[in-house]
């Protein structure tokens, strides 16, 4: 059987992961292993405030992680949502896929499973993330203490006290328009290996300051992630509620299945999002990779990019995402 040219597609924050994934694919590795590895690298990076360790917390100061992985050969998939106190949710998602007859575990069940498969608890909050949370929700102006002091403070803060003392109900404080760009974000990886198999992985800490227990599109198969060797792999970043409502990732796949070109399929999915009438700060980005190695990015806002790297390239390159108004 003729081998295929390996290729990796990623969201803009996936440069280090995409490079490592390509190295693995060049050595004959599987697409599924490549996307998991790539996600782990982003999850471990404290400088990425939208994924894994260092992700910005929810409105209570707790980091809750969402991730999913999908195998295009078999359509097997695994996901975790609202994972608290453990790192590398993508690896746990893969274990859900491979070791359980389930697709998605949430919250305390996901944590129980993490312990059962031998993962050690690991606080995902960095000093910086806690400081930003505290500046926003707790004190507005007290001199920040040491990192230990911050963490201890965060531990001691009981949930209702933080917000009720300030007279704000939880729902009003969460999901406000993001004042800084890194309060949103997710990492997407799509890969095709030399055997022509496709895989996709998505990982996020969700939207910063989210309501506790809020789950976005990233761990929802069909919303933020979908992969099928026959048609392609698709993943999303942006306001997850939009991709859940429009089943965005699966929609792109179905539009491809129906015979549309990749460009037409992406536009159609953007039109589905536009129909939801998102507000100004709610955007949606899509990346897609077909079995033939064609790739594209789409966006509801101008000026967004994605990364791609084929086995012939020395490094990932940026490509523009096509906005809905481009024709
Ligand atoms: N899609 C992610 C979520 O809704 C966040 C993002 O990509 O900005 O949780």
């Amino acid at each position: 059987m003729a081998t295929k040219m390996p290729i990796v597609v990623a969201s803009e924050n996936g440069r280090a992961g995409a490079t490592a994934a390509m190295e693995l694919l060049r050595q004959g590795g599987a697409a599924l292993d490549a996307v998991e590895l790539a996600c782990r690298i982003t999850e471990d990076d404290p400088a990425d405030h939208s994924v894994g360790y260092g992700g910005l917390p929810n409105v209570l100061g707790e980091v809750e992680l969402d991730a999913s992985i999908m195998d295009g050969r078999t359509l097997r998939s695994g996901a975790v949502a609202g994972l608290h106190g453990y790192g590398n949710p993508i690896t746990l998602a893969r274990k859900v896929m491979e070791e359980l007859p389930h697709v998605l575990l949430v919250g305390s069940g996901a944590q129980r499973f993490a312990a059962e498969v031998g993962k050690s608890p690991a606080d995902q909050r960095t000093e910086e993330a806690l400081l930003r949370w505290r500046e926003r929700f707790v004190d507005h102006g007290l001199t920040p203490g040491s990192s230990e002091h911050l963490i201890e403070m965060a531990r001691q803060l009981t949930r209702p006290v933080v917000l009720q003392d300030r007279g704000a109900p939880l729902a009003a404080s969460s999901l406000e328009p993001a004042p800084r760009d890194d309060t949103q974000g997710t990492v997407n990886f799509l890969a095709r290996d030399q055997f022509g198999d496709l895989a996709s992985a998505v990982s996020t800490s969700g939207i910063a300051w989210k309501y506790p227990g809020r789950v976005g599109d990233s761990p929802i198969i069909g919303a933020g992630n979908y992969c099928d060797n026959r048609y392609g792999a698709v993943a999303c970043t942006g306001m997850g509620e939009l991709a859940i409502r429009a089943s965005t990732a699966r929609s792109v796949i179905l539009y491809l299945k129906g015979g549309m070109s990749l460009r037409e399929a992406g536009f159609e999915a953007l039109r589905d999002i536009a129909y939801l009438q998102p507000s100004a700060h709610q955007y949606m980005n899509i990346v897609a990779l077909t079995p033939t190695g064609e790739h594209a990015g789409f966006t509801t806002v101008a000026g967004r990019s994605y990364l791609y790297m084929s086995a012939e390239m020395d490094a990932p390159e940026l490509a523009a995402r096509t906005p809905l108004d481009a024709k």
Side-chain angles (χ1 to χ4, degrees):
M1 194 186 74
T3 58
K4 298 275 196 309
M5 167 85 72
I7 181 160
V8 178
V9 172
S11 50
E12 214 175 336
N13 53 341
R15 182 171 288 279
T19 307
M22 181 48 68
E23 197 46 47
L24 193 150
L25 292 172
R26 279 196 184 116
Q27 291 164 13
L32 199 60
D33 293 328
V35 294
E36 182 192 352
L37 171 71
C39 259
R40 287 181 64 95
I41 288 170
T42 318
E43 287 170 346
D44 288 341
D45 179 1
D48 191 319
H49 296 126
S50 64
V51 182
Y53 179 65
L56 292 174
N58 67 15
V59 70
L60 301 175
E62 295 168 342
V63 174
E64 293 177 317
L65 303 178
D66 299 341
S68 66
I69 191 162
M70 189 156 183
D71 179 353
R73 280 175 309 170
T74 58
L75 309 194
R76 286 187 314 161
S77 40
V80 291
L83 179 71
H84 173 58
Y86 287 89
N88 295 125
I90 198 65
T91 294
L92 196 60
R94 184 162 178 184
K95 287 201 179 295
V96 171
M97 176 175 91
E98 292 180 339
E99 296 182 19
L100 294 177
H102 306 312
V103 169
L104 172 62
L105 289 184
V106 304
S108 59
Q111 282 127 227
R112 172 187 289 260
F113 183 58
E116 278 173 5
V117 298
K119 283 174 78 77
S120 301
D123 195 334
Q124 297 299 293
R125 301 172 299 181
T126 57
E127 182 179 351
E128 183 190 351
L130 279 173
L131 181 58
R132 285 178 59 182
W133 166 73
R134 198 176 83 167
E135 280 171 356
R136 184 174 170 108
F137 288 110
V138 183
D139 58 34
H140 298 278
L142 284 181
T143 307
S146 64
S147 119
E148 289 78 4
H149 175 62
L150 277 176
I151 289 169
E152 194 45 41
M153 270 195 63
R155 285 208 178 103
Q156 285 173 11
L157 289 167
T158 57
R159 291 144 204 232
V161 171
V162 178
L163 294 158
Q164 283 175 9
D165 276 1
R166 301 182 59 222
L170 278 181
S173 305
S174 59
L175 290 180
E176 283 174 5
R180 286 174 66 163
D181 228 2
D182 67 353
T183 57
Q184 296 186 47
T186 293
V187 75
N188 295 160
F189 292 103
L190 314 175
R192 182 183 72 170
D193 61 28
Q194 65 174 17
F195 311 106
D197 289 324
L198 299 177
S200 56
V202 178
S203 187
T204 189
S205 51
I207 291 174
W209 333 131
K210 63 191 174 185
Y211 193 92
R214 177 266 184 188
V215 173
D217 57 322
S218 307
I220 307 297
I221 297 299
N225 186 358
Y226 204 80
C227 185
D228 183 328
N229 265 10
R230 296 171 296 176
Y231 310 110
V234 178
C236 302
T237 60
M239 189 73 184
E241 282 73 4
L242 299 173
I244 293 172
R245 290 166 66 201
S247 300
T248 299
R250 174 82 168 133
S251 291
V252 175
I253 296 290
L254 288 178
Y255 295 139
L256 290 167
K257 182 177 181 177
M260 287 185 183
S261 69
L262 180 55
R263 189 177 168 89
E264 286 168 343
F267 275 129
E268 197 54 36
L270 290 182
R271 277 192 282 271
D272 292 342
I273 297 288
Y275 186 72
L276 306 178
Q277 300 190 311
S279 60
H281 67 278
Q282 298 178 334
Y283 65 88
M284 184 49 53
N285 296 324
I286 302 168
V287 284
L289 172 66
T290 70
T292 62
E294 189 186 359
H295 55 86
F298 302 93
T299 181
T300 58
V301 286
R304 300 296 169 105
S305 314
Y306 71 100
L307 290 167
Y308 70 98
M309 182 177 185
S310 76
E312 293 174 325
M313 295 164 58
D314 293 334
E317 281 184 16
L318 278 176
R321 293 179 190 259
T322 311
L324 182 55
D325 55 13
K327 266 300 174 186

